[in-house]
Amino acid sequence: MRDDEFRHDALKSSDGLNAVTIYKLLAGTILIVMAVGLGIYVANATLEVIYGEVPPPLIARIQDIAAERAAAEAANQNVPEIKLAPDLVQALLYALTFFLLTIPIMVASMLMGAGVKLMQGEANEAIAMLAERLKKSES
């Protein structure tokens, strides 16, 4: 391993990988795998919303609650009922669903960034050390 004046003393070692390096590699890998899994889930949910035959339960529930509240408010007052086109209501509900899907997208991107920052520099050293050991074992 190379001695770098910007590295903390706990990370400098002469006899290979230490516990801190192994922990950083393992934790970074787990964070990246979690981010990829969450990204796949969001992609699957998005495709289900777009191409699914049945609207997602969230959209159906919001539609039902909105219809009940509108009916209750219109029955109590002498206010004319405002009707929106069903396609417009459906488009608004889909926009709300996609907006709610941005939350797991942001979480996945933060997990990915944290995993990459945690592994930065450590993975190169680990791969170089493994290559060295493989060369020694072949000789």
Side-chain angles (χ1 to χ4, degrees):
M1 284 201 189
R2 59 191 168 131
D3 285 333
D4 191 2
E5 65 260 7
F6 297 112
R7 293 177 59 94
H8 190 271
D9 290 336
L11 296 177
K12 294 179 185 176
S13 69
S14 59
D15 45 319
L17 294 175
N18 57 17
V20 174
T21 304
I22 292 171
Y23 171 76
K24 288 174 85 172
L25 287 172
L26 183 63
T29 303
I30 289 171
L31 287 174
I32 290 174
V33 168
M34 287 173 50
V36 168
L38 189 57
I40 291 171
Y41 167 76
V42 169
N44 187 25
T46 303
L47 290 175
E48 184 66 31
V49 166
I50 293 171
Y51 296 114
E53 296 295 322
V54 179
L58 176 67
I59 291 178
R61 184 174 174 150
I62 290 172
Q63 262 180 330
D64 294 342
I65 291 172
E68 288 174 9
R69 285 194 180 169
E73 288 177 8
N76 293 337
Q77 302 168 358
N78 292 328
V79 177
E81 189 176 335
I82 298 174
K83 292 261 185 185
L84 293 176
D87 292 339
L88 178 63
V89 172
Q90 198 69 21
L92 290 173
L93 291 173
Y94 282 141
L96 175 66
T97 303
F98 286 122
F99 176 72
L100 291 174
L101 283 174
T102 60
I103 295 169
I105 290 171
M106 289 187 296
V107 170
S109 67
M110 286 190 287
L111 285 173
M112 184 72 73
V116 168
K117 284 182 184 176
L118 200 56
M119 292 176 61
Q120 207 166 23
E122 304 298 332
N124 290 338
E125 293 176 10
I127 291 172
M129 183 170 296
L130 287 173
E132 250 180 59
R133 287 188 181 175
L134 283 174
K135 286 180 184 176
K136 286 181 183 177
S137 66
E138 289 176 358
S139 300

